[in-house]
Amino acid sequence: FSFKVESPSTTVFRDEVAFLFDTLLQSHYLLTHRALFSENFYGLKRTSSSLLKHQPPPRLDLARSYLLGVFVPYVKAKLDAVFEKLREDEADFGRLDRLRTFFLRVYPYLNVLYEGTFLWFYVAYAVGRSRHHSPLTKYAGAHLIYQTKEDRLASSKPLNEDANLADDWRPNHFEFHLLDLEKYSFTPP
């Protein structure tokens, strides 16, 4: 997503601010719903490709899902921006150094390969020839399935089950625990 930032000090870091918000949003949804935000929005969840169906993915798979679901699109957007800037510089100033010229010649082919791979996965998934809708989910070791009724009910429970908002609505008596760090800490096996 993109948004317009008016402050000159943050205009330079607009992409990084968006990346930070996306990181927080996606990590929250991966930890609480076992899906990225958009996947959860459509009633999907990630399961491990290596385990039995309907089992939650192991923590390593969640870490890979996070990296591939957040970091790869960010890097791709940055590469697209560099490519466009170099094209403008080439048009304005003429010759560029060899490395920049090489990047301008090679990047369109790499971009077609990247987008073509995604298209192939989409089509294969749509016709039932693949369990993965994108190469990123395949490399993350996960695939998507629909949430069950129990999954939807579990995700709709308040984070602090002892608190009942209907009985006591005052903010001093309700604790918000967005991330329980002990529960979701990543420890090596």
Side-chain angles (χ1 to χ4, degrees), residues 18-87:
F19 175 68
L20 176 67
F21 285 129
D22 191 33
T23 297
L24 293 173
L25 178 73
Q26 302 301 353
S27 61
H28 171 72
Y29 271 84
L30 270 173
L31 293 174
T32 57
H33 301 284
R34 302 285 184 187
L36 296 174
F37 174 76
S38 58
E39 297 163 353
N40 185 62
F41 182 80
Y42 289 108
L44 301 169
K45 70 176 182 177
R46 288 178 179 244
T47 59
S48 178
S49 296
S50 60
L51 300 175
L52 298 174
K53 195 173 184 178
H54 303 295
Q55 283 190 334
R59 290 184 177 155
L60 182 61
D61 287 350
L62 286 177
R64 274 191 250 142
S65 293
Y66 165 76
L67 285 174
L68 293 171
V70 176
F71 191 69
V72 170
Y74 171 75
V75 170
K76 173 76 168 77
K78 290 303 250 183
L79 286 173
D80 288 345
V82 167
F83 177 73
E84 291 301 321
K85 174 84 169 96
L86 288 177
R87 278 183 48 195

Side-chain angles (χ1 to χ4, degrees), residues 163-180:
N164 187 350
L165 288 177
D167 294 339
D168 193 0
W169 53 269
R170 293 173 292 178
N172 295 344
H173 297 283
F174 186 78
E175 295 178 34
F176 290 99
H177 296 285
L178 292 179
L179 291 176
D180 184 2

Side-chain angles (χ1 to χ4, degrees), residues 75-182:
V75 170
K76 173 76 168 77
K78 290 303 250 183
L79 286 173
D80 288 345
V82 167
F83 177 73
E84 291 301 321
K85 174 84 169 96
L86 288 177
R87 278 183 48 195
E88 290 173 10
D89 288 349
E90 184 182 42
D92 292 343
F93 304 117
R95 281 189 75 104
L96 298 173
D97 63 3
R98 294 179 71 147
L99 182 62
R100 292 178 181 161
T101 304
F102 178 76
F103 180 77
L104 282 174
R105 301 296 177 254
V106 171
Y107 185 72
Y109 296 108
L110 294 177
N111 191 35
V112 166
L113 180 65
Y114 180 85
E115 297 294 339
T117 304
F118 272 85
L119 178 63
W120 185 86
F121 269 87
Y122 292 152
V123 171
Y125 185 74
V127 298
R129 303 280 289 168
S130 175
R131 289 178 38 193
H132 304 282
H133 77 286
S134 85
L136 300 180
T137 57
K138 180 180 173 98
Y139 299 136
H143 68 277
L144 300 176
I145 61 171
Y146 285 103
Q147 293 177 353
T148 62
K149 185 176 183 179
E150 293 81 21
D151 293 329
R152 288 189 297 275
L153 289 174
S155 67
S156 67
K157 288 182 183 176
L159 295 172
N160 185 353
E161 294 184 26
D162 297 333
N164 187 350
L165 288 177
D167 294 339
D168 193 0
W169 53 269
R170 293 173 292 178
N172 295 344
H173 297 283
F174 186 78
E175 295 178 34
F176 290 99
H177 296 285
L178 292 179
L179 291 176
D180 184 2
L181 296 178
E182 291 175 6

